Amino acid sequence: MLLVENLVAGYGAAKVLHEVSLEIARGEAAALIGPNGAGKSTLMAAIMGVIEARSGRIVVDGTNVTGHTTHSIMTRGLSLVPEGRRIFAPFTVRDNLRMGSIRLSAGRPGFDERLDYVYGLFPRLKQRESQLGGTLSGGEQQMLAIGRALMSNPRILLLDEPFLGLAPKVIEEIQAAVRILQEQGLTLLLVEQKLDIALNIASRACVLIKGSIALESSSDNLKARSDLDDLYFSLAEKAA
Ligand SMILES: Nc1ncnc2c1ncn2[C@@H]1O[C@H](COP(=O)(O)OP(=O)(O)OP(=O)(O)O)[C@@H](O)[C@H]1O
Ligand SMILES: [Mg+2]
């Protein structure tokens, strides 16, 4: 469903991603783990067409989308929950959600259905429909960021560290929502630094170290390894 092949990307003179390849099947959840600065968010940005691929290919459902605009990539069914939530603080919850539906502007068929869907997944957002985004709690802001990404009715959802800085109870609540999305058949790519959360949600994990995939394995395989933390650190050290 999503294929990234030998992707090279970066900023100015800096090359961040070195021939990164990964493949996610329809309905699968894959995790991307790796230390700070490894290039996880850069990979998300490149997949979404926010930064340019210098070489390599990004293929969605058999269509080569390399070089396409972000809007066109969203039209193909991809949506990103960005790192740090990036909600629009001076706008209401409803208006934040409206901005996630650029393909479905308000009043057009589909908008109300998507709104109901998101409110069904996160009832707290419905209760706070008219509240300003900036006054929501951290957990509610994260729900809003996920809800906004779901407004475009994606088939592949990219989640960049959605649990960062949240209390265990809220993490549990958002994990439950992610599980529902999985059951509904959404394909997921989850960036997550905490191995237990990543392996819990995803059936496969890719470890990105210094812009290269250092290890790829099934979650079951990784869970069974008693030396997982050591393995992770030794990969990071080797690359340093
Ligand atoms: N807009 C930018 N301009 C220049 N360099 C950038 C930019 N964004 C990221 N970088 C650099 O690219 C490298 C990878 O950053 P990236 O944010 O992709 O890492 P990450 O794996 O997401 O890290 P974290 O876990 O901290 O979120 C870093 O060296 C970073 O400084
Ligand atoms: Mg990041």
Side-chain angles (χ1 to χ4, degrees):
M1 178 130 211
L2 175 64
L3 173 69
V4 175
E5 226 172 42
N6 302 323
L7 182 67
V8 176
Y11 308 93
K15 203 163 124 186
V16 175
L17 301 176
H18 308 276
E19 310 240 335
V20 169
S21 297
L22 61 90
E23 195 172 352
I24 308 175
R26 185 185 305 274
E28 190 192 12
L32 183 68
I33 54 190
N36 292 121
K40 304 179 299 294
S41 299
T42 301
L43 179 55
M44 300 295 110
I47 292 173
M48 292 305 295
V50 173
I51 65 165
E52 167 192 44
R54 292 186 189 166
S55 61
R57 293 198 309 154
I58 298 155
V59 180
V60 178
D61 238 352
T63 303
N64 187 346
V65 300
T66 321
H68 287 206
T69 62
T70 300
H71 183 270
S72 147
I73 288 167
M74 287 185 73
T75 306
R76 296 257 162 219
L78 260 83
S79 196
L80 169 70
V81 180
E83 178 171 42
R85 296 150 202 164
R86 309 260 183 103
I87 58 144
F88 304 105
F91 295 101
T92 63
V93 165
R94 195 176 199 279
D95 283 343
N96 268 273
L97 292 173
R98 193 197 303 273
M99 284 185 249
S101 61
I102 48 176
R103 284 190 297 137
L104 304 163
S105 37
R108 297 243 304 271
F111 175 79
D112 291 335
E113 286 91 313
R114 290 314 291 167
L115 200 62
D116 284 347
Y117 172 79
V118 168
Y119 286 158
L121 191 67
F122 296 117
R124 276 216 244 173
L125 293 182
K126 170 131 182 94
Q127 289 158 17
R128 296 172 185 277
E129 188 171 45
S130 307
Q131 193 173 324
L132 298 185
T135 66
L136 296 174
S137 73
E140 288 160 357
Q141 289 192 9
Q142 188 62 64
M143 292 174 196
L144 182 55
I146 296 172
R148 184 184 54 190
L150 290 170
M151 286 299 290
S152 63
N153 201 4
R155 287 173 298 134
I156 306 173
L157 187 67
L158 313 179
L159 294 144
D160 196 347
E161 305 208 47
F163 304 109
L164 193 67
L166 302 181
K169 196 166 165 283
V170 187
I171 291 180
E172 206 21 76
E173 219 176 314
I174 293 177
Q175 258 189 285
V178 169
R179 231 167 274 134
I180 292 172
L181 296 174
Q182 284 180 277
E183 280 161 15
Q184 292 172 348
L186 200 67
T187 303
L188 298 179
L189 178 57
L190 169 72
V191 175
E192 178 55 57
Q193 297 208 39
K194 289 203 187 85
L195 286 171
D196 55 335
I197 296 181
L199 301 183
N200 213 346
I201 293 177
S203 57
R204 195 157 51 84
C206 305
V207 182
L208 189 71
I209 308 270
K210 288 207 155 184
S212 298
I213 302 283
L215 175 77
E216 201 187 327
S217 178
S218 77
S219 297
D220 289 342
N221 237 334
L222 289 174
K223 277 185 210 163
R225 290 187 69 138
S226 52
D227 63 338
L228 189 55
D229 286 336
D230 294 343
L231 169 74
Y232 188 61
F233 282 116
S234 76
L235 284 172
E237 253 167 34
K238 239 186 272 163

